Amino acid sequence: MSFSFAAKFAVLSLFIGSILFVHLRGKARLPVLRQFVNHSALFAPYNTLMYLFSGVPSKPYLDRSKFPELDVLRDNWETIRDEAMHLFDEGYIRAAEKNNDAGFGSFFKKGWKRFYLKWYDKPLPSAAALCPKTVELVSAIPNVKGAMFALLPGGSHLNPHRDPFAGSLRYHLGLSTPNSDACRIFVDGEEYAWRDGEDVMFDETYVHWVKNETETTRVILFCDIERPLSSGLMTRINRWVSAQLGRATAPQNLDDERVGGINQAYAWSKRFSDSFSGVVKQWKRRNPKLYRILRPVLAVVVLVILWKWLFG
């Protein structure tokens, strides 16, 4: 066995093992094949490190009292709510109009909307101008890496998914909610219903989904919080990785705000896939038998490429 083969085999084994570790973590799981092609699989080796060095327990919901710096958000929830509802009334909480929000692209189809406050390095100019009190509160807390107002209309839902990056945790603060058990999130199958002025912390890399089975729109403050780690070195690494990802996924509320490279690429891919998918669907309808034959052929081609990569 050559060194090159051994190295490739070790890397592939580590990658597959990490995906399986992430997949088997918790009770709620995505289908196996979906997990392997899901965007969260790309971060599986890194996320495994985050779990191994995590300074908080490995469980869906976390003790919010262990993050006392967030008390100021809960204590000022009415001030935050007032600014959020003003933005809602003015139509600023909305979907990405140019398909340039890779992290939440699938949510917009369900009526989910957002207005970004801060994204990893600094507040968005539009947020500083339109909701200065909330931006000031959020910016005063160093471990709040990203923040937004997030809206989900009544009668809507978000399908089961897991977020791809374990370097952060998720914080929700209820601002204007149905105050009903029928508007809730399930994290690894465990249920939490939002209430005005109440907050919750959870690990968004567990499979989670949302149901708003009321007729009332839910508006919350939605934050990414830096995951506490037990190693100073891993903390520095995570902050560097977070900063790079933050710049690459920089979002916009208004057209004149900077968009990160990943979001730009996502917008381009959406334009291409929308035009290409129409052609594929037409071809599939005209050639159903050939389509069924080519699907396994394509899978074999992928396996052959992988085999040649491993064995030369």
Side-chain angles (χ1 to χ4, degrees):
M1 182 184 293
S2 69
F3 175 78
S4 176
F5 170 80
K8 291 177 180 178
F9 184 79
V11 169
L12 183 62
S13 298
L14 178 64
F15 185 63
I16 293 175
S18 298
I19 295 174
L20 289 174
F21 177 73
V22 171
H23 176 66
L24 296 173
R25 182 174 175 261
K27 297 173 290 186
R29 294 169 189 149
L30 301 175
V32 174
L33 290 179
R34 180 183 166 192
Q35 179 60 66
F36 271 84
V37 300
N38 186 264
H39 58 304
S40 64
L42 295 174
F43 287 91
Y46 184 83
N47 288 350
T48 299
L49 282 175
M50 293 295 100
Y51 301 141
L52 292 176
F53 288 95
S54 182
V56 297
S58 182
K59 60 182 184 178
Y61 291 98
L62 301 165
D63 184 353
R64 226 292 281 138
S65 66
K66 300 298 183 182
F67 299 82
E69 65 276 16
L70 300 177
D71 288 352
V72 66
L73 299 178
R74 185 194 58 208
D75 293 345
N76 288 276
W77 75 271
E78 291 172 307
T79 297
I80 298 171
R81 178 200 59 194
D82 291 346
E83 290 195 328
M85 298 315 293
H86 174 72
L87 291 177
F88 174 63
D89 292 339
E90 296 295 320
Y92 284 105
I93 304 179
R94 57 197 180 199
E97 296 179 340
K98 296 183 177 180
N99 283 324
N100 56 5
D101 196 337
F104 303 99
S106 63
F107 289 6
F108 299 129
K109 299 175 183 178
K110 305 295 184 181
W112 187 88
K113 298 177 174 65
R114 82 291 182 268
F115 181 89
Y116 285 98
L117 302 166
K118 174 186 178 183
W119 197 247
Y120 283 80
D121 53 354
K122 57 185 178 181
L124 276 71
S126 56
L130 294 169
C131 43
K133 295 177 182 177
T134 301
V135 167
E136 183 179 2
L137 288 167
V138 167
S139 299
I141 308 172
N143 64 342
V144 175
K145 299 303 182 182
M148 68 179 79
F149 295 130
L151 177 157
L152 185 69
S156 188
H157 69 281
L158 302 178
N159 291 327
H161 61 283
R162 67 167 84 246
D163 285 26
F165 183 61
S168 61
L169 301 167
R170 184 62 45 77
Y171 172 79
H172 284 181
L173 172 63
L175 300 176
S176 178
T177 75
N179 291 303
S180 166
D181 290 343
C183 181
R184 61 220 188 271
I185 185 171
F186 298 83
V187 183
D188 200 31
E190 298 180 24
E191 182 177 342
Y192 173 84
W194 293 281
R195 295 289 191 275
D196 293 358
E198 296 183 7
D199 54 7
V200 65
M201 179 83 74
F202 61 95
D203 184 337
E204 75 273 29
T205 59
Y206 283 100
V207 174
H208 55 287
W209 60 98
V210 174
K211 293 182 179 181
N212 185 358
E213 297 174 312
T214 74
E215 297 180 354
T216 304
T217 295
R218 181 224 66 181
V219 180
I220 60 171
L221 176 67
F222 173 120
C223 298
D224 281 352
I225 309 298
E226 180 182 307
R227 179 187 287 270
L229 299 172
S230 59
S231 161
L233 174 61
M234 290 305 301
T235 296
R236 290 192 292 274
I237 291 173
N238 187 44
R239 287 176 179 170
W240 183 86
V241 171
S242 296
Q244 305 313 307
L245 286 174
R247 281 191 283 273
T249 57
Q252 65 176 190
N253 296 317
L254 302 178
D255 289 344
D256 59 352
E257 291 173 324
R258 176 185 172 271
V259 177
I262 288 178
N263 283 339
Q264 292 181 38
Y266 178 77
W268 178 87
S269 70
K270 284 291 290 180
R271 290 194 294 270
F272 175 79
S273 64
D274 287 347
S275 58
F276 182 71
S277 64
V279 174
V280 171
K281 287 177 181 177
Q282 289 181 13
W283 185 86
K284 178 182 173 181
R285 284 194 295 267
R286 293 172 184 168
N287 307 276
K289 292 182 179 179
L290 184 58
Y291 174 77
R292 286 195 294 271
I293 293 171
L294 287 178
R295 282 184 65 187
V297 170
L298 181 61
V300 171
V301 169
V302 172
L303 288 173
V304 168
I305 293 172
L306 183 61
W307 180 272
K308 283 188 170 293
W309 179 76
L310 276 174
F311 295 96

